[in-house]
């Protein structure tokens, strides 16, 4: 089925990268990307619900109906409907066309169909919503709502995107070797991953466990200590935000820690998504991983993170 992602546009590259990663996990095909916020792709019908439950930086996923108002003839609507997107005059025009063509009624509150006008440059695409994305859940899970929180905790929406960029599937093992209060592990756990974390500070590790329990995540293992003292034969993906010595505790001189940590991580996993405070670590990362993507993101006023998507 051809679908249209309505991207959130809250970041220049992350929403598209996330949609693309989710499709790749479930073997999506053909794609077209428009930088004004839509992403068109071919995807197996059975996995659309799964993708809907994963993505954080799209507003909705829609069945691709066709281009322009004339596509109304492909809509084949039964039951009530509401039109969303586009401009007021476009919504009005489309609503009138649908009523005329199918003799169905508008229901603004609780329609059986949501028809969406999506802008593709100067043209429009008509879509029928398959599933809205529940974005409010990420606000509801912000760190100030956790039993234990730290100022370094990541926004759940960013954490979710990073987990998606790692291409991890439900039931696989995800490790965060600098897990802090568990922002990444919470998102991965809620997606059905088996989560593992390492944290050097005992009280923070305890807090992380409390947070995971609070969200009903039971398949976890939080280890205490310096991540460099651990060994794993294999984990499916590593997703982590490196300590950067401002609010988060830096256990060692930064470059040394980063170098040793990256080397370790390359032994444990062939896929990783890592947040670092600078691009200057790129040559170091490239020694051990194939750098697939880099997404700079402003986390708050004075802090930019660089999210590296790594493979081998
Ligand atoms: C940026 S914070 C992680 C934030 C976390 N991703 C979240 O969203 O809640 C980094 C964490 O790494 C821990 N840490 C620092 N050095 C470490 C080391 N060598 N091994 C394990 N944990 C370490 C710090 O105590 C801190 O809690």
């Amino acid at each position: 089925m051809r679908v249209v992602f309505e991207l959130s546009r809250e970041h220049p590259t992350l929403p598209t990268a996330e949609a693309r990663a989710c499709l790749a996990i479930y073997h999506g095909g053909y794609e077209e990307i428009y930088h004004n916020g839509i992403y068109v792709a071919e995807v197996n019908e059975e996995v659309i619900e799964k993708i809907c439950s994963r993505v954080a930086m799209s507003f909705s996923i829609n069945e691709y109906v066709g281009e322009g108002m004339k596509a109304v003839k492909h809509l084949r609507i039964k039951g009530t409907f509401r039109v969303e997107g586009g401009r007021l005059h476009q919504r009005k025009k489309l609503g009138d066309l649908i009523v005329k063509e199918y003799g169905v009624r508008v229901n603004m509150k609780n329609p059986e169909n949501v028809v969406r006008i999506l802008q593709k440059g100067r043209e429009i695409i008509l879509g029928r919503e398959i599933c809205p994305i529940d974005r409010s859940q990420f606000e509801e899970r912000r760190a100030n709502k956790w039993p234990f929180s730290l100022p370094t905790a990541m926004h759940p929406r960013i954490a979710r995107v990073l987990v998606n960029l790692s291409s991890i599937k439900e039931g696989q093992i995800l490790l965060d070797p600098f897990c802090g209060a568990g922002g990444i592990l919470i998102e991965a756990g809620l997606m059905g991953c088996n989560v593992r974390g390492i944290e050097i500070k005992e009280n923070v590790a305890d807090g992380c466990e409390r947070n995971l329990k609070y969200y009903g995540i039971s398949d976890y293992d939080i280890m205490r200590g310096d991540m460099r003292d651990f060994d794993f034969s294999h984990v499916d993906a590593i997703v982590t935000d490196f300590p950067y010595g401002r609010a988060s505790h830096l256990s060692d001189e930064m470059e040394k820690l980063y170098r040793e940590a990256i080397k370790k991580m390359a032994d444990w996993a062939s896929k990783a998504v890592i947040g670092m405070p600078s691009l200057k670590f790129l040559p170091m990362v490239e020694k051990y991983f194939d750098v697939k993507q880099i997404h700079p993101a402003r986390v708050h006023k004075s802090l930019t993170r660089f999210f590296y998507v790594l493979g081998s």
Side-chain angles (χ1 to χ4, degrees), residues 153-154 177-183 199-200 225-227 241-243 249 251 257:
M154 191 177 266
F178 298 103
C179 70
E199 172 53 52
I200 203 162
D226 187 321
M227 58 82 75
D241 190 23
F242 273 59
H249 167 82
S251 55
L257 170 66

Side-chain angles (χ1 to χ4, degrees), residues 112-136:
E112 289 160 81
N113 301 275
V114 173
V115 180
R116 183 159 283 116
I117 300 173
L118 298 139
Q119 212 69 38
K120 175 193 165 192
R122 286 162 170 261
E123 307 295 317
I124 59 162
I125 289 181
L126 294 194
R128 186 205 315 262
E129 185 175 280
I130 304 169
C131 38
I133 311 288
D134 176 15
R135 296 205 355 132
S136 62

Side-chain angles (χ1 to χ4, degrees), residues 57-98:
M57 287 198 180
S58 287
F59 293 129
S60 63
I61 302 181
N62 306 273
E63 178 190 345
Y64 180 102
V65 176
E67 281 195 25
M69 290 285 176
K70 63 182 186 310
V72 78
K73 62 178 182 292
H74 303 302
L75 261 173
R76 285 187 274 277
I77 279 203
K78 285 192 192 122
T80 55
F81 75 100
R82 176 176 73 212
V83 179
E84 284 190 1
R87 307 213 165 176
L88 181 62
H89 73 273
Q90 291 173 313
R91 289 199 290 278
K92 233 180 132 322
K93 184 174 170 190
L94 181 59
D96 290 345
L97 284 172
I98 294 173

